[in-house]
Amino acid sequence: MNTIFIAGHARLPSGMAAQNMYETLTITAEIDKHYGVIVTASCTLATLHGQEFVQQMLRGYSLRDGIDKPIEVVRNHYLGKAGNALISALKDLYKQYGAYIELKNESK
């Protein structure tokens, strides 16, 4: 298999529909092992439309290039209440990716 699956988590702000179902927002991503590219992504926003929008925003970015560009895309294109939670979950996902790369490098 040429991909890995990573999740990032963040607290949701109060008063959101998704908060009634979950206390945290989760972004999951399938990432190409070699290039670090996000092949597909999903999140626990309440609506399918929101989930699909987040997937479209994140697909194609390489985590090898850092997380700043995907965060900028979220800031510029997602104007809902969960914006800060999405950014925090992305940062956590990137942290998990960094831990994976570190472990991979140690095992060489």
Side-chain angles (χ1 to χ4, degrees):
M1 187 164 223
N2 296 325
T3 58
I4 55 172
F5 183 84
I6 299 179
H9 308 278
R11 276 207 175 287
L12 280 168
S14 60
M16 289 196 59
Q19 197 211 20
N20 294 331
M21 298 186 303
Y22 314 102
E23 288 193 21
T24 60
L25 178 122
T26 301
I27 294 178
T28 59
E30 182 179 354
I31 300 165
D32 178 271
K33 284 182 181 181
H34 184 72
Y35 298 105
V37 173
I38 298 172
V39 176
T40 189
S42 64
C43 69
T44 55
L45 288 175
T47 66
L48 180 60
H49 190 204
Q51 294 166 10
E52 289 172 347
F53 189 79
V54 169
Q55 178 180 329
Q56 290 173 22
M57 282 193 299
L58 300 179
R59 185 177 38 225
Y61 285 101
S62 174
L63 296 180
R64 287 174 137 193
D65 297 333
I67 198 68
D68 292 340
K69 185 64 177 169
I71 286 173
E72 181 183 331
V73 169
V74 170
R75 280 198 176 113
N76 291 331
H77 297 280
Y78 183 88
L79 305 178
K81 274 188 172 184
N84 288 335
L86 283 168
I87 290 167
S88 292
L90 267 176
K91 288 178 180 178
D92 186 49
L93 185 139
Y94 184 67
K95 180 179 161 188
Q96 302 305 320
Y97 176 74
Y100 162 75
I101 293 299
E102 209 172 286
L103 186 63
K104 184 176 150 184
N105 289 337
E106 286 176 6
S107 66
K108 285 185 177 180

